[in-house]
Amino acid sequence: MSATVSLSYSAKEGEKLGLFVLNMGGPTTIEDVEPFLFNLFNDPDIIRLPPVINLFQPFIARMISRSRAPKSAVGYEKIGGGSPLFPLTKEQGDAIAASLAKRGISVKVYVGMRYWHPFTESAIQKIKCDGITKLVILPLYPQYSISTTGSSLRCIKEEFHKDDTLENLPLTVVYRFAARPGYVSAMADLIQMELGKFQDSSAAKIFFSAHGVPKKYVTKALDPYKAEMEQCVRLIMATLRSRGVTNDHILAYQSRVGPVEWLKPYTSEVIPALGASGCNGLLAVPISFVSEHIETLDEIDREYQELARHSGIKEWGRVPALCSYPPFIEDLAAAVEDAFSDAEPIVKRDIHLDGKPDSKAALLIKRVVASREGKTFLMAVSISVAAYVWFHRTEPSLVTLDSN
């Protein structure tokens, strides 16, 4: 089911077109796990702290990354010793470029990862050095969230505003694609293929498992993620219904971290409940991801599959990530082609960030912390805090020794 080929853009002579594909990234080796996690948790769009506490985010990120690294490393060991996200993202970008080439549009592909190599900032410098004259930015997140697309775009926005050449580079952002007919149809294709592998395909429940975010992102920061996710599921199910698929379905959220409330229901709680209710067949659909990585290959394929077995669910299946599935790639290529016709310099049309913007105080603190003086001050404070914590942790033992 190929997407309709768009004929909306005709490249001008001498034009150098760039396609900037974004993703979160992942550790290449086990040794990379802790620094990768530090970069992740040091992002204020991942852990949103009050303005004053923002000063201590690197210190907090260091503690979290050190405590979580051993468990995460085990997961990466089980999927081959590192994340496949970069090579898969590059493969997707190259496939989109090949599709565009068939339409007579030549583009150079750049891949920018948010939390590991190749970093977004490095890719931006390559875009500038190569003299790209028109750019389309494509975050490979189907639904928009301040913690994924928003974080990557904030990084790009800050980098572009530092440079006059980049500020005047015409660009367009494909902010989301979960409602595009080509994406919806491609997801329905893969779901139907996997349903066909069940002994009783009509009885299997379609289990959409989405990456979770803290509830306050939606209620306080006005993140559109939950609404877009629910709309996406409705569109996919409507397409399946039009094809005669009558299976029941459910949406739940995975990857919860920490004590705060995240979007519900939780995948880890829904699976046992389904087993207790007599569900015999479950088809997991990773709805937030278009590439395989640790949350599909380990969390879903290993943890949730084991949980399903222990919960009495006899048949288990998992829809693969879209990756470079041709109908999906063709639809993204059409979106990119259309976007080239709508490019304007960032100084004329700024990169839009959905959700509630940071306060002026929070932005000021972030700029201070990012400066050399701010980092020096933060290091001094962190050392002082660490010394204070160490002293008070060891003080009781010193008192005990003295008393003896």
Side-chain angles (χ1 to χ4, degrees):
M1 298 181 184
S2 300
T4 302
V5 175
S6 170
L7 299 173
S8 62
Y9 188 74
S10 177
K12 299 176 182 178
E13 186 176 351
E15 213 168 34
K16 297 183 72 173
L17 306 181
L19 172 61
F20 195 7
V21 182
L22 308 178
N23 220 322
M24 72 176 296
T28 307
T29 67
I30 297 302
E31 290 72 27
D32 299 333
V33 171
E34 186 175 325
F36 163 75
L37 291 176
F38 172 80
N39 293 337
L40 177 71
F41 294 119
N42 196 38
D43 181 354
D45 286 316
I46 294 295
I47 297 181
R48 297 173 68 87
L49 300 172
V52 175
I53 301 179
N54 267 343
L55 288 169
F56 301 98
Q57 181 141 5
F59 181 71
I60 294 170
R62 182 66 64 196
M63 290 192 298
I64 297 174
S65 59
R66 283 178 178 171
S67 66
R68 291 184 60 84
K71 181 180 178 181
S72 294
V74 172
Y76 282 107
E77 284 278 15
K78 290 179 179 178
I79 65 170
S83 171
L85 198 53
F86 169 62
L88 290 176
T89 301
K90 185 178 185 303
E91 181 181 296
Q92 289 169 310
D94 291 343
I96 294 169
S99 177
L100 290 169
K102 294 176 182 178
R103 307 160 189 240
I105 302 172
S106 176
V107 301
K108 184 163 185 179
V109 178
Y110 302 87
V111 176
M113 295 295 181
R114 187 68 180 95
Y115 306 115
W116 202 245
H117 304 282
F119 287 111
T120 303
E121 296 87 340
S122 300
I124 289 172
Q125 291 308 308
K126 290 182 181 179
I127 289 168
K128 179 183 175 181
C129 291
D130 288 346
I132 294 299
T133 60
K134 188 172 285 190
L135 184 70
V136 169
I137 300 172
L138 177 63
L140 283 179
Y141 306 106
Q143 305 84 13
Y144 185 104
S145 173
I146 56 177
S147 61
T148 53
T149 302
S151 175
S152 290
L153 293 182
R154 187 185 300 280
C155 174
I156 292 173
K157 185 174 182 177
E158 291 172 356
E159 291 297 312
F160 273 49
H161 280 308
K162 295 177 185 176
D163 188 287
D164 290 342
T165 300
L166 293 171
E167 269 200 323
N168 287 282
L169 172 63
L171 61 80
T172 306
V173 180
V174 179
Y175 289 94
R176 48 181 61 77
F177 51 81
R180 288 185 61 87
Y183 166 83
V184 172
S185 178
M187 286 297 298
D189 289 350
L190 297 190
I191 290 171
Q192 281 189 283
M193 291 179 194
E194 295 304 314
L195 280 175
K197 299 176 183 179
F198 282 74
Q199 291 183 356
D200 185 357
S201 61
S202 62
K205 183 177 285 289
I206 300 172
F207 185 75
F208 293 97
S209 187
H211 189 285
V213 298
K215 183 180 178 181
K216 67 179 181 179
Y217 281 29
V218 175
T219 57
K220 294 185 178 181
L222 308 182
D223 193 339
Y225 178 71
K226 181 175 183 289
E228 293 191 13
M229 183 60 67
E230 291 171 351
Q231 179 196 36
C232 178
V233 170
R234 286 195 300 270
L235 291 172
I236 292 171
M237 289 308 303
T239 300
L240 289 170
R241 297 283 185 257
S242 72
R243 301 179 184 182
V245 176
T246 59
N247 300 62
D248 291 336
H249 74 282
I250 190 170
L251 167 65
Y253 295 89
Q254 66 182 82
S255 310
R256 176 167 53 115
V257 177
V260 300
E261 183 179 0
W262 283 43
L263 293 181
K264 292 182 177 181
Y266 301 138
T267 294
S268 58
E269 295 178 357
V270 169
I271 291 176
L274 289 174
S277 69
C279 176
N280 288 320
L282 200 61
L283 176 62
V285 183
I287 192 66
S288 301
F289 317 112
V290 297
S291 308
E292 303 290 358
H293 63 305
I294 194 166
E295 292 182 16
T296 59
L297 299 173
D298 182 58
E299 189 173 5
I300 294 179
D301 285 355
R302 184 181 62 84
E303 293 181 23
Y304 293 148
Q305 182 173 187
E306 288 178 5
L307 180 60
R309 300 292 186 207
H310 289 311
S311 300
I313 296 171
K314 297 176 182 178
E315 278 197 278
W316 168 273
R318 201 263 286 180
V319 171
L322 286 165
C323 291
S324 295
Y325 181 54
F328 170 57
I329 293 297
E330 288 298 312
D331 189 60
L332 286 184
V336 170
E337 182 178 5
D338 290 341
F340 275 122
S341 299
D342 194 33
E344 289 184 1
I346 192 171
V347 292
K348 291 185 179 179
R349 182 185 59 199
D350 211 348
I351 293 176
H352 175 68
L353 299 173
D354 281 350
K356 186 177 181 180
D358 288 333
S359 66
K360 291 182 179 179
L363 290 172
L364 177 61
I365 288 174
K366 288 176 185 178
R367 284 195 290 269
V368 171
V369 170
S371 68
R372 181 179 300 177
E373 295 80 4
K375 290 177 180 177
T376 301
F377 171 75
L378 183 61
M379 183 178 295
V381 171
S382 298
I383 292 172
S384 299
V385 170
Y388 177 84
V389 171
W390 179 85
F391 175 77
H392 282 274
R393 287 182 63 186
T394 56
E395 189 177 22
S397 63
L398 294 174
V399 172
T400 302
L401 288 172
D402 289 342
S403 65
N404 289 335

